[in-house]
Amino acid sequence: MDYLSAAAPIARLIEEMHKLPGIGPKTAQRLAYHLIRTSKEEALALSDAIAKVKETVVFCAQCQNITDVDPCALCTDDTRDRTKLCVVEQPLDILALERAHAYKGHYQVLHGAISPMNGIGPGDLKLQQLVDRLAKGDFKEVILATNPNLEGEATASYVHRQIKPLGLRVTRIARGLPSGADLEYADEVTLSRALEGRLEMS
Ligand SMILES: [Zn+2]
């Protein structure tokens, strides 16, 4: 095997690593060389975990949360309030809100936030699923719990405009959260306060 044909698989691995969020070219190289040095078992355990996730994890057809059963456990939980729908950017935000034990309604995941700088527009979010669900369900209040940063605020305003014609109560989580912070990193007390202090969107 010549040098170039041996290097091609490494280059490919680095390229794949570089596609992951938050992984720059340097880190991608470091991770790739780590995997080359590590035992075959360990490296294959990683690729197996990735394959398993892609085989078994799906989006819940109702809330778009990640799940291995569709509809997910949250959507089929009869003890939850079917009149409230909390809209979040990412599945991890649901985990944060559930940890805070401050909310017992249903959820809807947008899978992103509007960010013109990163080329993410409304069409890249799962917005139609939200509108469809609201049109069908018995929801009375929609809580917009997108992150308290530029993208999150832009997304909340956009979603508000889209669902306004439905005539539901639309609220936005309070600014108790440090501005610019992500929901998923907020502590439980702060999250509970942000939910309790939510304000009607005009
Ligand atoms: Zn669900």
Side-chain angles (χ1 to χ4, degrees):
M1 198 189 273
D2 61 33
Y3 173 74
L4 277 178
S5 61
I10 304 172
R12 194 185 142 208
L13 182 58
I14 294 171
E15 203 184 296
E16 292 302 324
M17 293 286 173
H18 187 28
K19 287 180 190 165
L20 297 171
I23 306 289
K26 284 255 167 63
T27 309
Q29 263 181 29
R30 217 164 40 233
L31 288 173
Y33 284 109
H34 168 79
L35 286 169
I36 290 164
R37 280 194 308 268
T38 202
S39 73
K40 193 172 177 181
E41 289 73 37
E42 229 169 288
L44 289 182
L46 174 65
S47 75
D48 185 54
I50 296 170
K52 277 275 155 18
V53 143
K54 296 312 286 180
E55 282 161 19
T56 57
V57 175
V58 293
F59 293 127
C60 170
Q62 286 182 37
C63 70
Q64 306 298 318
N65 191 12
I66 45 174
T67 177
D68 55 352
V69 282
D70 185 17
C72 75
L74 283 166
C75 284
T76 50
D77 184 347
D78 285 333
T79 68
R80 303 192 74 97
D81 186 349
R82 293 206 172 269
T83 67
K84 287 190 177 68
L85 190 69
C86 180
V87 179
V88 296
E89 293 179 20
Q90 302 293 350
L92 281 174
D93 300 332
I94 296 184
L95 289 183
L97 287 161
E98 284 299 293
R99 262 201 312 270
H101 298 290
Y103 177 71
K104 278 297 270 178
H106 285 268
Y107 292 101
Q108 189 76 28
V109 187
L110 295 175
H111 290 278
I114 296 169
S115 172
M117 274 194 25
N118 295 310
I120 302 167
D124 297 306
L125 309 184
K126 291 183 181 284
L127 273 171
Q128 194 54 47
Q129 289 87 340
L130 166 68
V131 175
D132 290 350
R133 194 164 177 214
L134 288 175
K136 275 186 289 187
D138 298 318
F139 296 106
K140 291 188 169 62
E141 180 183 356
V142 182
I143 302 162
L144 300 177
T146 50
N147 288 325
N149 53 26
L150 216 62
E151 290 84 10
E153 296 299 345
T155 307
S157 301
Y158 185 85
V159 172
H160 182 219
R161 281 199 302 277
Q162 296 300 303
I163 63 176
K164 214 174 178 176
L166 296 169
L168 302 164
R169 181 177 184 223
V170 183
T171 55
R172 176 85 177 105
I173 50 165
R175 301 238 174 205
L177 290 166
S179 185
D182 278 6
L183 235 63
E184 76 176 274
Y185 303 120
D187 66 83
E188 285 140 43
V189 177
T190 310
L191 265 182
S192 303
R193 285 207 188 118
L195 264 174
E196 279 160 25
R198 64 187 186 271
L199 293 169
E200 199 107 15
M201 285 186 85
S202 52

